[in-house]
Amino acid sequence: MTDLARPDRAEVLEMLAAFGQRAAEDVPDELGSLELTWLIAEFEQRYGIEPDLDDEAFEAVRTVDDAVEVFRAAVLAARGGAVDGSTSDTTGTPADATGAAVTAGAARP
């Protein structure tokens, strides 16, 4: 099972590096919509979790660090818990970079 601290920045950079066949250090911090869409699909394949991003939350993910926060929250929501340093709303639901609650979709087979 994947570590609760995952995905971390290095893993997200690794996933993005595969998009465009480049080195992780060549990945810019700012994400375009195509990169983010591809990154979400890659995350879903690796983790079997669909991050529940509405349009507002999707648009709020602009950097690698934003993506790390959203994906960590999705992993935590899927596992029903949180770890120290995670973001959550007042109900304890993990939140994305904008503070919006993030829930995990159905796990993929």
Side-chain angles (χ1 to χ4, degrees):
M1 184 172 261
T2 306
D3 182 343
L4 283 178
R6 301 291 257 188
D8 60 14
R9 183 177 171 81
E11 184 175 3
V12 170
L13 286 170
E14 172 192 319
M15 287 190 267
L16 285 166
F19 181 71
Q21 301 174 334
R22 56 195 165 177
E25 58 268 7
D26 293 334
V27 174
D29 191 53
E30 298 287 321
L31 301 177
S33 60
L34 287 177
E35 286 177 312
L36 180 56
T37 300
W38 186 89
L39 183 61
I40 290 169
E42 183 70 15
F43 172 80
E44 290 174 354
Q45 285 185 333
R46 284 191 186 200
Y47 286 84
I49 299 168
E50 292 181 33
D52 186 17
L53 298 175
D54 61 18
D55 290 341
E56 185 177 310
F58 182 87
E59 291 173 10
V61 180
R62 299 177 189 261
T63 67
V64 172
D65 289 337
D66 293 342
V68 170
E69 275 191 56
V70 166
F71 295 142
R72 280 187 179 175
V75 168
L76 291 171
R79 296 192 177 145
V83 294
D84 291 332
S86 67
T87 307
S88 63
D89 68 11
T90 57
T91 66
T93 302
D96 67 13
T98 67
V102 175
T103 57
R108 295 191 186 259

